[in-house]
Amino acid sequence: MTELLYQTDSYLQEFDANIISVLPEERVIVLDRTAFYPGGGGQPCDLGSLTVTGTVYPVQKVKKQGEDVLHFLGGRRIITYENYASHGILDWARRYRLMRTHSALHVLCGTVFRDYGALVTGGDMEPLKGRMDFEFETMRGELVREIEAAVNREVAQAREIRVKILPRAEAFQIPDLIRTKINLLPEGITQVRTVEIAGLDLQADGGTHVRNTNEVGTIRVVDYKSKGVINKRIYIELESPKGE
Ligand SMILES: [Zn+2]
């Protein structure tokens, strides 16, 4: 079982962990704790490196399997490191862009629900780019520009983004969470992690987010598309960090 360090500290860039099991042929390592996000909820997995006894291995893929997080290592050296200590380092530029993008998408869905009552039906992201599908009957250029202006006003409000881990029964009593289909969570889950953008949005969510909407920066709505009678897709992009 891997402790998920990113769930309570999304700003952790480096960490120490012990290797609890190894699949040498697949070049997979399971750690007792990790800051690597294994992907999920539209957010791609982290990349980075893992150092074991002085050898640095690229982490090329990360995946959750049951209670374990699998780290897929590059390189050629045979891996036989059960019970060894290791040090993980995230590709922070990539991860931080994903955090900004993921938070931007929550600003978008919170704003669209508040202003138009439209629910989200799906979404996906890569660093600095994302898309989200809404239950909208019509989407026009004018409406898209209105949405873009509204989300940027929310970003500029410097709203705090708070993460909480709640007992299932408590989470199920929060009306805002019920709207985001929390009732579809599997029976066995005893705790629900919530991400709240103060005064705007509250969701059950496993992803990594920035602390404040002011870290998101300007959001541009770059395109929109009809994906069915009551399904419209909105594409957003974020600015690259300064100096790039
Ligand atoms: Zn999310």
Side-chain angles (χ1 to χ4, degrees):
M1 185 184 164
T2 311
E3 185 192 345
L4 310 175
L5 302 171
Y6 60 84
Q7 283 209 326
T8 47
D9 184 3
S10 60
Y11 286 80
L12 191 63
Q13 301 179 32
E14 289 191 34
F15 63 100
D16 292 313
N18 289 317
I19 296 169
I20 51 178
S21 63
V22 177
L23 301 169
E25 283 185 12
E26 294 87 343
R27 304 189 65 76
V28 163
I29 273 183
V30 179
L31 302 172
D32 63 347
R33 57 212 292 268
T34 191
F36 283 96
Y37 184 67
Q43 183 181 334
C45 74
D46 286 330
L47 305 175
S49 68
L50 193 73
T51 304
V52 193
T53 63
T55 305
V56 182
Y57 295 92
V59 175
Q60 295 178 329
K61 188 171 95 177
V62 187
K63 199 176 108 184
K64 192 126 187 270
Q65 190 173 80
E67 305 256 87
D68 294 335
V69 176
L70 313 185
H71 302 72
F72 293 77
L73 305 189
R76 291 195 177 177
R77 235 168 167 208
I78 295 167
I79 304 165
T80 51
Y81 291 129
E82 218 155 278
N83 301 319
Y84 276 62
S86 70
H87 185 72
I89 302 178
L90 303 194
D91 174 346
W92 181 248
R94 169 185 162 84
R95 155 64 97 73
Y96 187 61
R97 288 174 180 198
L98 286 166
M99 283 161 57
R100 289 175 54 215
T101 308
H102 199 158
S103 296
L105 288 168
H106 282 217
V107 170
L108 176 65
C109 78
T111 305
V112 167
F113 181 73
R114 181 197 60 196
D115 295 352
Y116 309 97
L119 289 171
V120 172
T121 56
D124 204 10
M125 75 194 85
E126 50 186 290
L128 304 181
K129 274 182 190 180
R131 61 173 171 80
M132 199 153 250
D133 295 343
F134 293 96
E135 287 179 352
F136 259 111
E137 282 181 19
T138 51
M139 183 59 64
R140 315 173 309 276
E142 194 187 321
L143 182 57
V144 163
R145 282 187 296 277
E146 205 175 280
I147 291 170
E148 185 183 64
V151 294
N152 283 302
R153 275 197 300 277
E154 295 309 321
V155 166
Q157 292 279 321
R159 293 185 185 276
E160 221 186 293
I161 303 179
R162 306 173 189 133
V163 172
K164 278 187 201 157
I165 294 173
L166 302 174
R168 183 188 178 97
E170 195 179 318
F172 271 58
Q173 298 192 346
I174 302 172
D176 281 352
L177 286 180
I178 292 158
R179 139 176 98 75
T180 59
K181 304 194 172 96
I182 188 183
N183 50 321
L184 299 181
L185 284 177
E187 289 261 330
I189 290 176
T190 55
Q191 290 187 316
V192 179
R193 184 175 180 272
T194 62
V195 175
E196 178 188 16
I197 301 178
L200 182 68
D201 186 65
L202 177 64
Q203 294 187 41
D205 193 272
T208 59
H209 289 264
V210 293
R211 292 188 189 105
N212 191 295
T213 58
N214 63 14
E215 293 186 44
V216 169
T218 306
I219 299 171
R220 285 190 304 133
V221 177
V222 292
D223 202 4
Y224 64 98
K225 197 184 273 179
S226 178
K227 299 297 286 181
V229 182
I230 54 151
N231 211 12
K232 301 294 173 284
R233 180 167 290 176
I234 292 177
Y235 296 86
I236 63 161
E237 279 183 23
L238 272 61
E239 286 176 344
S240 298
K242 288 183 180 70
E244 284 186 29

